[in-house]
Amino acid sequence: MPVQNSDVRDIFNKMADLLDIEGANPFRVRAYRNAARTVSGLTRNVSDMIIENEDLTTLAGIGKDLAEKIREIVETGTLSQMEAVEKRIPSGLNKLLKLETLGPKRVKILNSKLGITNLQELKVAAEQGKIRELEGFGTKTEKSILESLQHVKDKEKRIKLLEAQQQAEPLIAYLKQTGEIKNIIVAGSFRRRKETVGDLDILVTCKNGPAVMKRFAAYEDIRNVVTRGKSRSTVVLRSGLQVDLYVLAQVYYGAALHYFTGSKSHNIAVRKLGIQKGLKINEYGVFKDKERIAGKTEKEVYGTVGLPFIEPELRENRGEIEAALNNKLPELVALKDMRGDLHSHTKETDGHHSLEEMAQAAKEQGYEYLAVTEHSKRVYMAKGLDSIRLAGRIKEIDRLNEKLEGITLIKGIEVDILKDGSLDLPDEILKELDLTVCSVHYNRNMSKKDQTERIIRAMDNPYFNILGHPTGRLINERAPYDVDMEKIVRAAGERGCFLELNSHPDRLDLSDLHCKMAKEMNVKIAISTDAHSRSDLKFMRFGVDQARRGWLEAKDIINTHSLNELKKILQR
Ligand code: DGT
Ligand code: CA
Ligand code: CA
Ligand code: ZN
C-alpha cells in the first residue's frame, strides 16, 4: 500500500507538535504545518509524483529540504528525524497540545512539575485539583482543560469534508471498475455537504451485487471489514474512516437515496407528512396499503407527500419542509454563479504564486475578477505589508491590469484588526484601495463583550468592507473566539459592511447557521477562498456548498455580481 497524502500530513503535523514542545524556532514549526496543509490539499497522490520523478519544490511551501523529507516518508513510511525528536519527548505529550487551552510552554510545565505525559494523566490531575495549584494556571484554566478534554473526545470521530472527499474519490473509481454498475453515489452527510462527516454511506445500484461486495472487501486501503453482507457491508479504512456500502436494485434507487442522504430528522419529518396522507415511506419506496406507489427517483418520493424536490444541502429539518410546502424554497447559489474571488495572497507575503500566476489561474476558473488581499504588517510571520509596500503594490496592480485580458485584479488588503479595534494601516492608504478584508488574527481570547466591541469598532472605520473569517475557528483544531455573532451581523448591516464566508476546508467560516442568520438579517456575504496558491482557488466549491447549507441565493452574495456592480456595492 503506497503512502497516502494524509500519512505525510500526519507526520509533518506531528513533527511540528514535537518541535513546538521543544520550543523550536516558530518559523521552522510553521514550515512543517504549511507543508502538511499543502500535501493534504493536493488533488494527486505524492507517492505517484515521486514515482514519476516530479519536482516537489514547485509546490506551495515545499523547499528542497521538505521535498527530500517527503521522499523519505514515501520510501520508508516514516521520517528518521521525527523518530529522533520523539525519543527526546515522552510519547503522548504532543496530544496535550491539541487542547485549545494548552500551548507548548504549559505542556512543558505540566510535564516537569506534575509528571504528566498523556491525556489520561492530565484528566486525573485536573479532577484532583492539582493543576490549579501550579503557577500561572488557576481554577479557570483547570476547568477549561477538563472542558477541552471532552471536546477532543467528541471531535476525533468526525473528519473534514475535503478529507472525506479525498478518500471517497479513489474508492468510487475503484468500485466503478466492477462493471454493470448503474449508479454509484456517496449519500449521507457527505451529499448534504456537511463540513465534517462521521462516515461515508455509499449507494450502488447494480445487477451483480455479490461482485460489488467482493470487490469492496478487497480494496487495498481497508484496515478491517466490520460486517459483510449481500446488500450491506461496513469497513474501516486505514485512516480510521468508516464506510457503509449499500447495494440495491435500480427500482429502489430514489427511495434509498432519499433515506440514506438523511438527515435523519429531515427523513422523520417527511415520513410524518406521509403518515398524514396514509402513506408509509421507507428505503424501499412509498407504500399505500401494500401497493408501492413511488421510489424510483427522489423527486417521486417528495411528490407523493406534496413536496417539490429539496436540495440535499437543505435537508437538516431547519424549516425546509415548511418552506417547500409554501413554495418558498430558496434558489440556491451554484458554483457557476461566482464571478470572482475576494480574498487571496501572493508570494509578496505568505502566498506561493505571483500576481500574474494568480490572475491567470482565476481567469482559467472563468472569473471576471480576483481581489489581491495581502496581510498587513502586524502579521509579521507572513511578511505583512506596510503603507509603503502597499503603495508599491497598488501601482504594480494598476500596471498589470492594463496588460491583462479577460480578468481584472482588484486592489485589496487583508488588514489586521488590532486589539483596540483600530485597523493596522492608516486611512490614507486604505482609501486608495478598491476593497478591504478586515480580520482578527491576534488577541483571540478576549471576553465576548470586548471581542464583539473590538470588531464593531473596526467596522466604524469607513474603509472597512468585509469581515474576514469572522469567528476565527479552524475545524477540529481551534474553537471560534468568543463573539456575539448576532450583534456583529447587525452592526455590519447598519454600516454597509459584509461578512466573509471563508471557503478554506479547514475554516468554512461562517458556519451554515451563521450564513442563514445573515440572510435573515439581510446582510450580504462574500464567498472567498483565502487562496495562498493557484490551486487553492478551487476551494470555492466548499464555500458555495456551505453557503447552500446556509440557504444563500446568488443575490445574497456580493461576488456573484459583475465587476462594475461590485464596485458600487463596495462604496459605503
Ligand atoms: P454522519 O455520518 O454522522 O456525518 O451523518 P449521516 O447523516 O451521514 O448519518 P449516518 O451515516 O448515521 O446515516 C446516513 C443516513 O441514513 C442518515 O442521514 C439518515 C439515514 N438513517 C440512518 N439511520 C436512520 C434511522 O434510524 N432513521 C431514519 N429515518 N434514517 C436513518
Ligand atoms: Ca454518514
Ligand atoms: Ca453510516
Ligand atoms: Zn486571515
Side-chain angles (χ1 to χ4, degrees):
M1 185 67 207
V3 167
Q4 301 292 306
N5 293 353
S6 54
D7 300 328
V8 177
R9 174 202 62 196
D10 291 349
I11 289 176
F12 280 171
N13 275 334
K14 187 159 176 203
M15 187 74 183
D17 286 345
L18 295 171
L19 290 173
D20 240 346
I21 295 180
E22 286 205 313
N25 179 342
F27 285 95
R28 194 162 155 232
V29 175
R30 217 172 124 96
Y32 277 108
R33 292 207 201 285
N34 285 340
R37 193 164 329 126
T38 295
V39 173
S40 71
L42 291 176
T43 44
R44 296 184 50 211
N45 199 320
V46 275
S47 296
D48 297 338
M49 296 172 76
I50 298 257
I51 289 164
E52 284 158 35
N53 235 332
E54 289 193 33
D55 181 9
L56 296 184
T57 63
T58 59
L59 298 174
I62 309 286
K64 246 175 107 178
D65 177 56
L66 284 165
E68 211 30 66
K69 292 201 164 76
I70 293 174
R71 174 179 295 279
E72 190 195 337
I73 295 169
V74 167
E75 283 168 0
T76 67
T78 181
L79 188 61
S80 51
Q81 201 180 346
M82 183 182 75
E83 290 179 353
V85 185
E86 253 182 324
K87 282 207 187 100
R88 299 198 295 260
I89 294 172
S91 69
L93 211 53
N94 66 81
K95 283 224 176 81
L96 266 56
L97 271 180
K98 293 235 155 68
L99 303 189
E100 289 135 21
T101 16
L102 297 179
K105 266 198 207 120
R106 282 182 160 170
V107 170
K108 245 198 274 179
I109 295 173
L110 287 166
N111 178 246
S112 59
K113 300 274 177 202
L114 297 178
I116 290 169
T117 59
N118 60 43
L119 290 176
Q120 185 54 35
E121 290 169 4
L122 179 70
K123 185 159 176 258
V124 173
E127 282 165 355
Q128 292 175 346
K130 286 185 182 160
I131 290 173
R132 70 182 73 163
E133 280 158 25
L134 293 174
E135 210 188 302
F137 281 76
T139 42
K140 219 176 129 202
T141 311
E142 189 176 80
K143 192 165 151 255
S144 75
I145 286 175
L146 281 169
E147 277 167 13
S148 42
L149 276 168
Q150 186 54 39
H151 226 119
V152 167
K153 226 174 113 201
D154 295 345
K155 279 184 316 203
E156 272 184 350
K157 287 179 243 149
R158 304 188 65 80
I159 70 162
K160 288 175 223 174
L161 186 57
L162 172 68
E163 289 169 30
Q165 190 156 311
Q166 285 166 342
Q167 298 189 56
E169 277 166 3
L171 175 54
I172 296 285
Y174 167 85
L175 289 173
K176 270 187 179 164
Q177 289 163 11
T178 318
E180 293 186 72
I181 284 186
K182 183 123 200 269
N183 288 297
I184 180 161
I185 187 168
V186 187
S189 51
F190 183 90
R191 183 167 179 239
R192 304 198 308 278
R193 306 304 287 168
K194 210 169 152 170
E195 61 196 30
T196 61
V197 308
D199 70 3
L200 294 178
D201 307 280
I202 304 181
L203 247 58
V204 171
T205 61
C206 181
K207 285 204 182 104
N208 189 351
V212 180
M213 284 306 183
K214 191 166 164 223
R215 191 167 171 79
F216 181 49
Y219 187 51
E220 61 177 356
D221 202 23
I222 287 178
R223 182 197 291 164
N224 63 296
V225 177
V226 181
T227 59
R228 187 170 162 187
K230 260 194 232 148
S231 60
R232 173 181 175 166
S233 295
T234 295
V235 306
V236 178
L237 300 181
R238 285 197 324 145
S239 65
L241 178 63
Q242 180 180 308
V243 184
D244 295 335
L245 179 74
Y246 304 90
V247 180
L248 41 122
Q250 189 61 33
V251 285
Y252 302 120
Y253 186 60
L257 184 56
H258 182 256
Y259 182 90
F260 289 110
T261 296
S263 66
K264 192 167 162 182
S265 109
H266 170 89
N267 289 357
I268 290 169
V270 172
R271 249 190 341 246
K272 239 195 217 151
L273 286 180
I275 291 167
Q276 287 166 14
K277 294 186 188 301
L279 303 174
K280 192 176 148 219
I281 303 175
N282 60 28
E283 60 268 50
Y284 299 103
V286 181
F287 298 86
K288 183 159 201 147
D289 302 323
K290 286 265 148 66
E291 188 197 354
R292 182 173 184 270
I293 60 167
K296 256 193 114 160
T297 66
E298 285 190 309
K299 194 160 180 265
E300 250 183 46
V301 174
Y302 281 116
T304 59
V305 292
L307 294 175
F309 179 83
I310 299 177
E311 299 283 356
E313 293 91 334
L314 294 177
R315 301 184 196 172
E316 297 290 347
N317 201 18
R318 290 178 180 162
E320 73 277 13
I321 309 260
E322 295 77 2
L325 285 170
N326 295 317
N327 230 341
K328 290 220 164 78
L329 280 176
E331 204 171 299
L332 298 181
V333 59
L335 192 53
K336 64 169 172 28
D337 295 328
M338 304 311 299
R339 308 270 278 263
D341 200 322
L342 298 182
H343 187 162
S344 73
H345 301 265
T346 75
K347 62 183 176 193
E348 174 72 16
T349 56
D350 62 345
H352 303 290
H353 292 107
S354 66
L355 280 176
E356 288 90 339
E357 288 169 325
M358 292 301 284
Q360 184 58 29
K363 186 177 164 182
E364 280 163 19
Q365 193 136 321
Y367 288 158
E368 195 180 318
Y369 48 84
L370 170 69
V372 182
T373 56
E374 309 282 18
H375 285 291
S376 62
K377 61 185 192 304
R378 172 72 177 86
V379 189
Y380 59 89
M381 284 279 243
K383 299 180 286 170
L385 304 182
D386 58 17
S387 289
I388 295 167
R389 278 171 71 208
L390 179 54
R393 287 299 267 183
I394 290 173
K395 285 207 188 101
E396 205 176 326
I397 292 177
D398 279 337
R399 272 198 304 271
L400 187 55
N401 271 335
E402 287 185 12
K403 272 201 331 212
L404 288 172
E405 276 175 38
I407 183 90
T408 304
L409 292 177
I410 294 177
K411 289 168 286 187
I413 186 87
E414 180 181 12
V415 60
D416 197 68
I417 298 175
L418 301 177
K419 190 173 182 194
D420 63 0
S422 62
L423 299 179
D424 188 26
L425 290 169
D427 290 357
E428 296 82 74
I429 190 77
L430 296 181
K431 76 174 201 292
E432 302 298 322
L433 298 166
D434 304 316
L435 158 135
T436 64
V437 174
C438 308
S439 308
V440 167
H441 294 111
Y442 300 99
N443 304 103
R444 300 168 35 86
N445 39 21
M446 292 163 73
S447 73
K448 184 172 196 162
K449 184 165 168 286
D450 290 348
Q451 191 68 271
T452 307
E453 282 173 5
R454 168 197 191 181
I455 295 171
I456 294 176
R457 211 170 305 134
M459 287 180 183
D460 285 336
N461 183 307
Y463 300 107
F464 187 120
N465 292 128
I466 299 170
L467 177 60
H469 41 73
T471 76
R473 66 118 173 224
L474 292 175
I475 298 172
N476 284 358
E477 277 164 48
R478 191 169 79 191
Y481 31 75
D482 212 1
V483 69
D484 186 334
M485 278 308 284
E486 200 176 322
K487 279 204 180 125
I488 297 282
V489 175
R490 188 170 316 113
E494 285 162 0
R495 288 162 182 75
C497 302
F498 308 100
L499 302 178
E500 177 177 271
L501 163 45
N502 190 299
S503 306
H504 197 290
D506 295 341
R507 291 189 180 267
L508 292 171
D509 181 12
L510 295 179
S511 68
D512 48 6
L513 286 171
H514 285 148
C515 286
K516 196 158 182 245
M517 177 168 104
K519 181 189 170 107
E520 282 159 9
M521 294 168 75
N522 203 17
V523 173
K524 306 283 182 247
I525 303 290
I527 309 182
S528 310
T529 62
D530 199 352
H532 282 68
S533 68
R534 287 179 298 205
S535 58
D536 287 356
L537 291 169
K538 293 265 186 290
F539 291 146
M540 186 58 84
R541 164 159 193 216
F542 290 86
V544 168
D545 288 344
Q546 179 90 327
R548 289 165 64 86
R549 287 179 57 79
W551 293 52
L552 300 190
E553 306 181 68
K555 65 175 164 56
D556 301 317
I557 294 156
I558 60 174
N559 46 330
T560 56
H561 291 277
S562 70
L563 182 59
N564 281 337
E565 288 166 344
L566 178 70
K567 283 197 169 155
K568 275 182 226 143
I569 291 169
L570 291 171
Q571 294 299 324
R572 273 178 67 175

